[in-house]
Amino acid sequence: MSAFKPLVFSGVQPTGNLHLGNYLGAIKKFVALQEQSDCIYCVVDLHSLTAQLVHQDLGDQTRSITAAFLASGIDPKKHIVFNQSRVIQHAELAWIFNCVARIGWMYRMTQFKDKAGKDRENASLGLLAYPSLMAADILLYRATHVPVGEDQKQHLELTRDIAQKFNNDFSVRIAALGVGVEMQVGEETVNGYFPITEPVIGGPAARIMSLRDGSKKMSKSDPSDLSRINLTDDADTISKKIRKAKTDPEALPSEVDGLASRPEAENLVGIYAGLAEISKADVLKEYGGQQFSVFKPALADLAVEKLAPIASEMRRIEGDRAYVDAVLKDGGERARALAETTMKTVRDIIGLLQD
């Protein structure tokens, strides 16, 4: 087999409204990546069950995330857009990876520690095994690249560890079946079936913080709606939230180093940079020395220009439920065909009987 075909995979959980951080940190990047790679974008509805098993509005939340993908510019005909639970092979490969991964790897995951807290004995097994399902999401399609935020880097490292252990454990069998790619692991050559997936990280606004507290990440779950700009916010609401965003009394610095001890200022400059697709240094070349009374209106105008059309298109697409469902159905069928090809080979590698 020749080298792995380049493929991008990423997923978004259907829990709560998407916000500016999701857009700049993920969806905007998704749109750019589709111009240069084959892409699979998934609404990971099975992952949402780790927090709460029953969601009364899970279907509508799934449609809302799909509408955000489409409104932002993702092309569901050229690429694949689907929801995870339509493809049962995600769960099948996750079980196999549960048997590959080590418990110690899972306990070291920072997000598990944060979400389980001190009462981790009462946390669900799903919360602990969440990264194994994430690895299955990615490797089911043998994705070579995944756009991730800083908070998901550790999970992608685990995905790489699982892929490497599977490849090492079954190298001889993979070679015998002729389904592997030779790869170097230290000083050893291994026949690998799964790629060692690379992260796609970067850009001027990879991590967006709360508009009310520059030390906290912008979050769907923050009780204050003023802490975030939702993708569904209209122009007036976007402007109001930026006007009310927390700042400090000093003028903007002329150099990026001057933002180091000013989290709110750095966040707003980062948002401007991300929306304008320029560097923070370029923002400060234009606005360095200016007060926030000048910068905030300029940022509000830019945010409205970039985000208000997406919000309007999202509302239009969400109103056409039949269209959204058709996109997910078509994407699910295409994803399932790819997934079953992978799983047939995996079953052969590990020796499971199949038709």
Side-chain angles (χ1 to χ4, degrees):
M1 180 182 289
S2 59
F4 296 103
K5 179 184 176 183
L7 177 71
V8 172
F9 177 92
S10 196
V12 174
Q13 279 201 51
T15 51
N17 290 328
L18 290 181
H19 53 67
L20 179 64
N22 301 127
Y23 176 70
L24 289 179
I27 296 175
K28 190 169 183 287
K29 197 177 295 180
F30 296 175
V31 175
L33 286 168
Q34 73 175 348
E35 301 303 321
Q36 52 194 275
S37 303
D38 289 335
C39 300
I40 298 177
Y41 294 130
C42 181
V43 184
V44 288
D45 45 4
L46 293 177
H47 280 293
S48 69
L49 305 183
T50 61
Q52 179 183 337
L53 188 57
V54 177
H55 296 255
Q56 298 299 332
D57 61 346
L58 185 55
D60 286 339
Q61 289 283 356
T62 298
R63 294 185 182 95
S64 180
I65 301 298
T66 306
F69 285 169
L70 304 180
S72 299
I74 289 173
D75 187 336
K77 294 182 179 178
K78 291 183 179 179
H79 305 280
I80 293 177
V81 177
F82 75 108
N83 59 299
Q84 182 187 26
S85 60
R86 289 178 186 267
V87 181
I88 59 173
Q89 290 86 351
H90 283 259
E92 181 182 3
L93 186 57
W95 172 251
I96 292 169
F97 284 170
N98 283 346
C99 299
V100 173
R102 307 292 91 177
I103 290 176
W105 297 358
M106 299 301 185
Y107 276 126
R108 285 195 290 273
M109 294 293 105
T110 302
Q111 282 206 28
F112 173 72
K113 293 176 184 176
D114 291 344
K115 291 182 178 180
K118 295 179 180 178
D119 195 24
R120 72 180 191 177
E121 295 299 321
N122 283 326
S124 73
L125 180 58
L127 185 63
L128 180 64
Y130 170 105
S132 184
L133 177 57
M134 180 175 170
D137 298 336
I138 296 164
L139 296 174
L140 185 58
Y141 306 98
R142 302 170 83 207
T144 56
H145 293 83
V146 175
V148 293
E150 290 292 329
D151 59 338
Q152 290 292 336
K153 281 177 68 177
Q154 191 185 31
H155 285 168
L156 187 57
E157 285 298 323
L158 182 71
T159 297
R160 290 161 60 89
D161 289 342
I162 289 173
Q164 186 165 302
K165 188 173 191 309
F166 185 96
N167 292 339
N168 289 347
D169 290 351
F170 296 100
S171 177
V172 173
R173 178 73 172 161
I174 291 167
L177 291 169
V179 295
V181 173
E182 284 194 353
M183 51 179 63
Q184 202 69 24
V185 179
E187 297 182 357
E188 185 180 358
T189 300
V190 170
N191 292 282
Y193 181 66
F194 291 116
I196 308 303
T197 309
E198 295 290 337
V200 180
I201 303 173
R207 185 175 175 85
I208 302 300
M209 312 306 282
S210 165
L211 297 179
R212 307 304 293 164
D213 182 349
S215 68
K216 296 180 179 178
K217 187 178 175 183
M218 187 174 285
S219 171
K220 304 171 189 175
S221 60
D222 192 305
S224 172
D225 193 54
L226 290 174
S227 69
R228 60 187 168 268
I229 295 174
N230 302 304
L231 286 191
T232 52
D233 286 343
D234 60 23
D236 288 344
T237 303
I238 292 169
S239 295
K240 176 181 136 182
K241 288 181 177 180
I242 290 175
R243 285 198 314 271
K244 290 182 173 292
K246 183 180 177 182
T247 55
D248 56 51
E250 303 298 323
L252 285 172
S254 298
E255 305 291 336
V256 173
D257 288 348
L259 296 171
S261 59
R262 302 174 61 186
E264 284 78 24
E266 182 173 20
N267 189 38
L268 294 184
V269 169
I271 290 172
Y272 193 108
L275 290 170
E277 299 183 3
I278 59 177
S279 67
K280 292 179 183 178
D282 287 336
V283 177
L284 295 178
K285 280 180 185 176
E286 183 174 356
Y287 291 100
Q290 301 276 4
Q291 297 293 330
F292 282 102
S293 58
V294 174
F295 181 65
K296 277 186 173 183
L299 175 57
D301 288 345
L302 177 63
V304 168
E305 176 191 343
K306 298 291 185 179
L307 299 177
I310 294 174
S312 176
E313 183 66 359
M314 269 189 71
R315 286 191 288 271
R316 185 192 71 78
I317 292 172
E318 282 188 274
D320 190 348
R321 178 179 286 206
Y323 169 65
V324 176
D325 287 351
V327 166
L328 292 171
K329 182 176 184 291
D330 175 68
E333 290 171 352
R334 290 156 64 199
R336 198 177 306 119
L338 294 174
E340 184 53 23
T341 298
T342 298
M343 287 311 305
K344 281 183 177 179
T345 303
V346 170
R347 294 181 204 119
D348 279 341
I349 290 170
I350 65 177
L352 295 174
L353 292 177
Q354 56 186 315
D355 293 333

